[in-house]
Amino acid sequence: MSRPEILAPAGNREMLGAAVFSGADAVYLGLTGFNARRTAGNFTPDELREAVAFCHARGVKVHVTLNTLVYDRELSGLADAVRAVAAAGADAVIADDLATAQLVKSIAPTLHLHGSTQMSVHTPEGAKELAALGYDRVILARELSLEEIRAVCEASPIEVEVFVHGALCMSVSGQCMMSAFLGGRSGNRGACAGPCRLPFDASAGLKLGQPGRACHLSLKDMDYIPHLRELMDAGVASVKIEGRLRTPEYAAAVVTACRAVCAGQPYDEKLVRDIFSRSGFTDGYLTNRNDGKMFGVRTEADAAATRAATPKARELFRRELQRVPVHYELSGGVEDGGVKLTARDDDGHRVSVYSADEPQPAQKDPLPSIERALGKTGGTPFVMDGLAAEPGGGFGFLPGAAWNELRREALDKLLEKRSEVTPHAVQAFEMPTYPAHTVGQLPALAARFANAAQCPAEAAEKLQYLIFPITEAESIPEAWRGKTLLELPRVMFGRLEQKTAARLDALQDAGFAGAVVNNPAQLRYTDGWTLYGGLGLNVTNPMSAARYASLGVQGMLLQPETALTAMQAVAPGVPTAALCYGHLPLMLTRACPLRNVRDCGKCPGGGTLRDRKGRDFTVTCSAPGGAGVRTVFNPVPLYMGERLRELPVDVAVAAFTTETPARVSQILDLLFNAQPFDSEFTRGLYYTNN
């Protein structure tokens, strides 16, 4: 059972030092811009080069995050960022957008490519697809159980990384739009405002908690440190600590704990809890106990514990961990008029230094005292791993201070040599050009329905496409199937992936027009289907769209955070679509926000959450009874009916969720006649500048 890489956050230079000094095997950090923690300190290209030099000198790898949604106008800057990462000699890029992946492979192919957790990969087929796309590692979604992680590890042809400690987003990463639509700050663009940590109370006809006090969207931090040995046994290659926005003391405490457990030693659980928690931790996802105990908030008592624990945690990185083996060789001596000390490491670096003083004949064997002097490597990353010298070999006598000076000089030179940055080779790359979409044309209308009963028969005749969840396939009238697309789930935990693949096979000849894929994994088991890209693919730029088109996707729904100006640029030769109506799915979550007030066995399949402003957010469950995925919807629908010509896409999609059939008919009539909406609505982010 090999020890996994311990991967620590480095939100700034001080945290980087703390993580490395306390024993992290690798760090992940953000280059200024293009990363999922824009409010962290992050690093300029010059600072990144210095960080890589510091880390590589100590045998620590550096992974750079370029894992946010990217728009067309940013692609050239993203290419420059990839070049900066390559020039700095970093080890890997963490990417989610296929445009970023393509730029890495085109510009610096020797850089390792890691699939961000923002890609929502959570199944064996997802890991296989990332391997086929050129990724070297998959960073799994946080929501998986130990057995689900084990299944991915067993099937994956590439390394598997999992989060083991730190904040848990309520939503599956990469599938949350709550901050963007409620606060104007996109979590998918690295600027999450954390609205889920605010009070939300649960309603739906059940007894409420204290209004404005319940936090049904705020999860405790995850803590899998006690389970590290099980994750090692499962085959995990890297264990990741969340927290680039936290403190150096936090990074050091968690890294130290992880090292101890991996070595089979006890660790200071109280220090880990006190340095940061939300009234304790949860391992609910890993142990498959998704209950109300997963929820928690940060209290003043938690903050006081952190203040008290900080000095103790600071001691963990006051001196750096000695872990780089150094091998010494001695030559010369009395007859040569001086001593030569050579120091080398296991990576092929070698330096030699010479004594300033002439050794004198020794009265006894000097080697034991020489070994003691050379072994005093404290204050450096080195640890002595042998001294090659002939016993009684005539080295003579030198004062202890002389040997100390030789050791210091040799280790300084060896550290300097190890700090030399080796840039990745960069290839010439010319940014592709893509045709812009013509503005002012009226897009065709399509509609997505939650079930067949929701779709009016008269409207079905006029819509270009009908979209239904694949679970509704058998309920779709044969007369509709020629224009019906079957929508695959955005996430599929447990055995749902295998069941969905089997269902697709069974429906292959049932006359449907195609399937809507919502996750890269789904490209692997949809052979023979005409494919369209759905919301879950997060397409925002033409390079990503073109890459999906090359993988067989015939058209794609653009990510709803995309402004109209940015939509216009996403036209790589395949049809594009945008939402023109719908209560936007703000969150997709495996944990149930209603679990604190109701039993799953008595749940009718959803309810509502009320925020501190009195707005009600509908919550639906894909499988009532506890096995499903929950969606939290925006209270106010998006509407563009009288402005359809302003949508620079081929198809405008109305997405219906909990509306009654009568209400569906009313809204479709408004859309067909390009009329204003009849109640409160929003234009979303379509008229923002992104």
Side-chain angles (χ1 to χ4, degrees), residues 113-169:
L113 185 61
H114 296 176
S116 172
T117 190
Q118 293 288 114
M119 299 186 81
S120 310
V121 172
H122 52 283
T123 63
E125 294 303 319
K128 293 176 184 177
E129 181 61 21
L130 257 60
L133 292 172
Y135 287 83
D136 304 289
R137 176 183 292 186
V138 54
I139 306 170
L140 295 183
R142 293 169 171 85
E143 289 77 9
L144 301 184
S145 70
L146 178 62
E147 289 311 306
E148 289 166 345
I149 291 171
R150 187 186 304 277
V152 175
C153 289
E154 290 175 352
S156 178
I158 55 178
E159 292 181 342
V160 174
E161 176 181 309
V162 299
F163 282 87
V164 293
H165 194 87
L168 270 178
C169 291

Side-chain angles (χ1 to χ4, degrees), residues 155-236:
S156 178
I158 55 178
E159 292 181 342
V160 174
E161 176 181 309
V162 299
F163 282 87
V164 293
H165 194 87
L168 270 178
C169 291
M170 185 68 185
S171 177
V172 175
S173 293
Q175 304 300 322
C176 183
M177 296 185 287
M178 179 169 277
S179 179
F181 284 96
L182 297 190
R185 291 171 51 184
S186 170
N188 296 312
R189 298 267 292 162
C192 182
C196 52
R197 301 295 182 187
L198 296 173
F200 281 85
D201 199 22
S203 57
L206 296 178
K207 182 180 178 180
L208 301 183
Q210 292 177 290
R213 296 287 299 279
C215 295
H216 296 296
L217 293 178
S218 179
L219 294 174
K220 294 177 180 178
D221 278 21
M222 69 189 309
D223 180 31
Y224 297 171
I225 295 174
H227 301 282
L228 278 180
R229 305 285 293 185
E230 297 166 86
L231 290 169
M232 291 166 61
D233 181 65
V236 169

Side-chain angles (χ1 to χ4, degrees), residues 390-593:
E390 293 185 18
F395 300 112
F397 170 80
L398 282 174
W403 286 112
N404 289 339
E405 182 58 33
L406 278 171
R407 182 197 71 239
R408 281 193 292 269
E409 184 182 358
L411 295 185
D412 285 347
K413 286 187 174 183
L414 186 59
L415 188 63
E416 182 179 357
K417 188 171 283 288
R418 289 177 59 85
S419 300
E420 294 173 358
V421 169
T422 304
H424 293 269
V426 173
Q427 299 180 164
F429 175 77
E430 185 174 345
M431 189 66 65
T433 57
Y434 304 96
H437 194 283
T438 303
V439 180
Q441 294 182 344
L442 185 66
L445 276 175
R448 184 267 186 197
F449 302 95
N451 52 64
Q454 201 181 37
C455 178
E458 65 277 9
E461 299 298 321
K462 295 192 277 185
L463 292 165
Q464 177 165 323
Y465 291 109
L466 308 175
I467 305 165
F468 293 94
I470 190 172
T471 52
E472 288 290 306
E474 289 78 11
S475 302
I476 309 303
E478 289 193 17
W480 295 359
R481 294 187 178 187
K483 60 165 63 177
T484 293
L485 307 179
L486 297 179
E487 178 186 70
L488 307 187
R490 284 157 67 193
V491 294
M492 293 186 287
F493 297 112
R495 297 190 57 79
L496 184 56
E497 181 172 76
Q498 297 96 309
K499 292 178 180 178
T500 302
R503 196 164 201 165
L504 280 168
D505 286 343
L507 294 168
Q508 184 79 62
D509 300 320
F512 291 100
V516 178
V517 293
N518 273 302
N519 190 283
Q522 293 162 359
L523 298 172
R524 297 192 62 80
Y525 45 85
T526 46
D527 287 348
W529 285 84
T530 301
L531 300 182
Y532 297 87
L535 187 70
L537 296 186
N538 284 335
V539 173
T540 59
N541 64 73
M543 184 175 286
S544 177
R547 186 71 178 100
Y548 275 115
S550 73
L551 297 170
V553 178
Q554 303 296 308
M556 54 206 70
L557 180 67
L558 301 184
Q559 209 270 357
E561 294 179 27
T562 312
L564 299 182
T565 51
M567 284 185 185
Q568 187 177 351
V570 191
V574 297
T576 54
L579 292 177
C580 64
Y581 168 81
H583 290 269
L584 292 170
L586 300 183
M587 276 191 172
L588 193 68
T589 175
R590 194 174 194 181
C592 179

